[in-house]
Amino acid sequence: MPTTHDIPTNGRPPALEARDVAVFYGAAQAIQGIDLVVPANRVVALIGPSGCGKTTLLRCFNRMNDLIHTARVEGRVNFHGKNLYDADVDPVQVRRRIGMVFQKPNPFPKSIYDNTAFGPRVNGFKGDLDALVERSLRQAALWDEVQDRLGESAQDLSIGQQQRLCIARTLAVRPEIILMDEPASALDPIATQRIEELIYELKRDYTILIVTHNMQQAARISDYTAFLYMGRLVEYGPTDRIFTNPAEDQTEAYVTGRFG
Amino acid sequence: MIPHDLAARPGTGPRREARGRRFAVLCGLATAVGVLALLVLLEDILLDGLGVLDTQFLTGFASRSPERAGIRAALAGSAWILGLTVAIAFPVALGAAIYLEEYAPRGRLTQLVQANIANLAGVPSIVYGIVGLTVFVRWAGLGRSLLSGALTLTILILPVLVISAQEAIRSVPRELREAAYGLGATRWQVVRHQVLPRAFPGVLTGAILALSRAAGETAPLILVGAVGFIAFTPRGPMDEFTVLPLQIYDWISRPQSEFHALAAGGIIVLLALLLAMNAAAIILRNRYRDRR
């Protein structure tokens, strides 16, 4: 299967670089030989049908696959010139610099404040925690809705608010890159729109890699789109081109809704 | 227009329902067997034992004359034994469960250990008594002491305790762990701040239930040297001791019927104790469930 690569650059060193990455779950291979360059301060969308390996690939970038006992990752993921899978790399340190937002909003059963402060606390943050919590909640466009009830349980928030809290919680650790795994798939259209606006805002300060099932969403929010199919990267390039003038037949079939 | 299809089809509806009712009746009968047996037992014991329940019975020591005999030493011994057992067994079991669930590499060895724990939970308690006699009473030189008894009960309830703690830890949703790991928490921080607080009610419930099993144990304690006739309350963990079930066993094996009444009284106290422990487990579980 030919792979069309249209590797994007914006004059800056890439934020992340996957080289020949393969993932196995036991004997089954989930993704094979993927090369992907993620430019800094851009939004890159991973699209493809269910089971194509989008989420598996995403979880390679902050060593989240380490938590799955049967998973094995091969290849390199370069971050600031260092392979994240080198023996001397601590996955905990990786996750502090490459944050993650999950598909289902998963706030801790604690107060809104404690949710936001959890990351800084476990990372030994020594500054003004109140200010950091406020700044993070403002960045996640949640502050105005929760500033009077920071002590209340996060689980009393609406689902959309919970997901913005999860984003605030990730921002509070001050990562460079944010990985998002279908962050809006559990949300209604209004809440989804707010998350999309938020992603647009965040791209000024962060590099964002987002898995999405929703092609309109990928087209709206991403600068680059990677199309995965059956564990392979079929095509990767500027989002406009992927959606209007794809080079591969499979990509065209998928983005025009003929399968997937 | 979609034709409605809600009317019972001839022949099938009523017959199916009758079969369902028969099944419900059978299940009800099965339940009744257990409840009935328990009621008969209770009635028997209450008739025999209620008469001896007074302050003399609770505060008196074992005696050759039934009217002066009481369960003071046995009650104190049971309290000592349970206190020591929980103090030793709880931290060990929790540690083992955390290790097995959160740290142990998934491999042959871990599987072997896991299978062994499950097996140990089914070993007859008398075997633990033999182990206790050999290891604690003789080898370790602890003698026929409360400590020997508590250590023996500890190894007896450890498998059950470890398994129930593991289940509680396993029931903590994966999303919570991943969220914490995703924020750069270390394994210890995930365990300390996310897993343990959520698993604690389950661990506690399991511990109380395991302990109530220990409260009723007799055989292993006979082997490690608990005796039925003790005329003092223990002052330290190295003292000799007796426990409630053993006192009951001692009384019931005597020929005089007065002692049989005393045994029934002891059973009532033991049942009340077990009931209180189980109630405590339920209350604790509900309280934690409401709080989160």
Side-chain angles (χ1 to χ4, degrees):
Chain A
M1 190 189 295
T3 304
T4 303
H5 275 253
D6 183 357
I7 294 176
T9 67
N10 56 351
R12 296 178 48 191
L16 279 170
E17 214 179 348
R19 288 284 171 231
D20 203 20
V21 167
V23 180
F24 300 83
Y25 293 119
Q29 188 163 12
I31 62 175
Q32 34 194 321
I34 287 191
D35 290 302
L36 188 82
V37 173
V38 180
N41 292 82
R42 291 290 181 270
V43 176
V44 172
L46 302 178
I47 63 168
S50 298
C52 72
K54 312 182 287 280
T55 297
T56 300
L57 178 62
L58 189 75
R59 292 167 66 102
C60 288
F61 289 114
N62 67 343
R63 296 203 45 181
M64 220 52 185
N65 284 329
D66 288 22
L67 302 178
I68 298 167
H69 296 288
T70 55
R72 193 174 90 248
V73 178
E74 287 177 0
R76 302 169 58 86
V77 176
N78 294 326
F79 175 65
H80 291 288
K82 178 78 181 163
N83 177 13
L84 295 181
Y85 286 87
D86 278 350
D88 61 342
V89 170
D90 178 3
V92 171
Q93 295 304 327
V94 171
R95 295 180 200 127
R96 286 175 185 180
R97 301 189 49 192
I98 305 176
M100 188 162 215
V101 176
F102 298 84
Q103 181 170 7
K104 206 175 117 206
N106 54 358
F108 302 125
K110 296 170 186 264
S111 70
I112 294 166
Y113 185 97
D114 287 341
N115 262 277
T116 319
F118 182 83
R121 278 178 178 150
V122 297
N123 289 306
F125 179 75
K126 290 278 185 296
D128 184 347
L129 193 57
D130 289 356
L132 178 60
V133 167
E134 177 175 343
R135 197 163 67 228
S136 306
L137 289 168
R138 279 190 193 281
Q139 268 190 301
L142 188 61
W143 176 254
D144 293 340
E145 294 156 62
V146 300
Q147 56 174 319
D148 300 327
R149 48 178 182 139
L150 293 175
E152 287 174 30
S153 170
Q155 292 179 328
D156 294 338
L157 295 173
S158 74
I159 298 290
Q161 289 173 325
Q162 286 186 12
Q163 192 62 305
R164 275 180 283 143
L165 177 62
C166 291
I167 292 173
R169 184 174 71 176
T170 303
L171 296 176
V173 185
R174 319 262 92 190
E176 294 164 45
I177 300 171
I178 304 172
L179 309 175
M180 296 185 170
D181 187 1
E182 302 196 41
S185 67
L187 309 184
D188 64 59
I190 305 281
T192 299
Q193 194 192 341
R194 301 206 60 167
I195 299 281
E196 289 182 6
E197 286 164 5
L198 185 54
I199 291 171
Y200 193 79
E201 288 291 312
L202 290 174
K203 134 175 137 168
R204 272 184 300 160
D205 301 315
Y206 303 91
T207 303
I208 295 171
L209 197 56
I210 179 171
V211 165
T212 177
H213 230 92
N214 179 331
M215 274 177 288
Q216 285 77 29
Q217 184 172 66
R220 279 193 300 265
I221 63 173
S222 68
D223 302 300
Y224 300 98
T225 296
F227 170 62
L228 277 75
Y229 183 60
M230 289 176 67
R232 290 178 188 276
L233 180 63
V234 175
E235 187 164 0
Y236 179 38
T239 299
D240 304 346
R241 192 184 62 67
I242 295 286
F243 280 91
T244 55
N245 187 23
E248 301 292 331
D249 293 344
Q250 276 178 328
T251 313
E252 189 183 357
Y254 185 71
V255 299
T256 54
R258 269 192 279 138
F259 84 104
Chain B
M1 191 62 190
I2 303 161
H4 89 92
D5 195 20
L6 296 176
R9 267 171 248 165
T12 58
R15 196 181 304 163
R16 267 202 302 204
E17 264 174 42
R19 211 184 296 164
R21 270 197 302 273
R22 274 203 299 278
F23 182 67
V25 168
L26 276 176
C27 290
L29 279 175
T31 312
V33 171
V35 172
L36 216 67
L38 190 69
L39 282 179
V40 169
L41 185 77
L42 268 181
E43 191 219 3
D44 198 38
I45 288 163
L46 288 177
L47 282 181
D48 286 351
L50 274 182
V52 302
L53 284 182
D54 52 20
T55 38
Q56 159 66 31
F57 181 70
L58 292 174
T59 58
F61 287 107
S63 167
R64 217 163 305 167
S65 62
E67 58 274 13
R68 281 197 290 132
I71 56 167
R72 182 168 176 177
L75 213 50
S78 279
W80 265 98
I81 277 281
L82 293 182
L84 283 172
T85 304
V86 79
I88 302 165
F90 190 77
V92 174
L94 188 58
I98 292 172
Y99 178 77
L100 284 171
E101 285 302 308
E102 302 288 334
Y103 289 89
R106 296 286 191 273
R108 281 276 161 73
L109 189 67
T110 310
Q111 271 179 352
L112 196 72
V113 170
Q114 193 70 61
N116 254 301
I117 292 175
N119 259 330
L120 284 176
V123 169
S125 60
I126 192 82
V127 175
Y128 287 101
I130 298 167
V131 174
L133 176 64
T134 316
V135 176
F136 303 128
V137 179
R138 302 245 170 94
W139 273 10
L142 297 175
R144 311 161 73 176
S145 61
L146 276 167
L147 191 58
S148 291
L151 286 168
T152 305
L153 288 187
T154 294
I155 57 168
L156 171 75
I157 63 170
L158 260 183
V160 181
L161 215 48
V162 171
I163 290 170
S164 71
Q166 274 186 286
E167 269 160 17
I169 289 171
R170 216 175 296 146
S171 73
V172 177
R174 208 176 73 140
E175 292 87 46
L176 279 187
R177 288 168 216 260
E178 289 200 331
Y181 278 120
L183 294 168
T186 62
R187 203 184 287 231
W188 160 242
Q189 286 169 330
V190 173
V191 170
R192 164 74 188 77
H193 297 290
Q194 302 300 338
V195 176
L196 283 186
R198 296 275 292 207
F200 201 66
V203 173
L204 212 59
T205 310
I208 294 175
L209 295 180
L211 205 63
S212 66
R213 182 184 166 193
E217 276 299 341
T218 325
L221 293 179
I222 295 179
L223 273 181
V224 298
V227 278
F229 195 96
I230 290 249
F232 58 88
T233 50
R235 281 170 313 259
M238 299 315 290
D239 281 353
E240 286 195 322
F241 68 102
T242 186
V243 289
L244 260 181
L246 197 54
Q247 182 69 69
I248 294 165
Y249 177 72
D250 179 68
W251 277 332
I252 217 131
S253 51
R254 296 182 186 214
Q256 303 95 320
S257 66
E258 292 90 336
F259 282 112
H260 297 169
L262 287 175
I267 290 171
I268 294 172
V269 174
L270 186 58
L271 280 179
L273 193 74
L274 294 178
L275 205 62
M277 288 172 78
N278 287 328
I282 292 167
I283 289 166
L284 277 170
R285 195 175 47 203
N286 289 346
R287 160 136 20 123
Y288 273 97
R289 195 188 285 149
D290 293 344
R291 202 185 290 171
R292 49 162 194 86

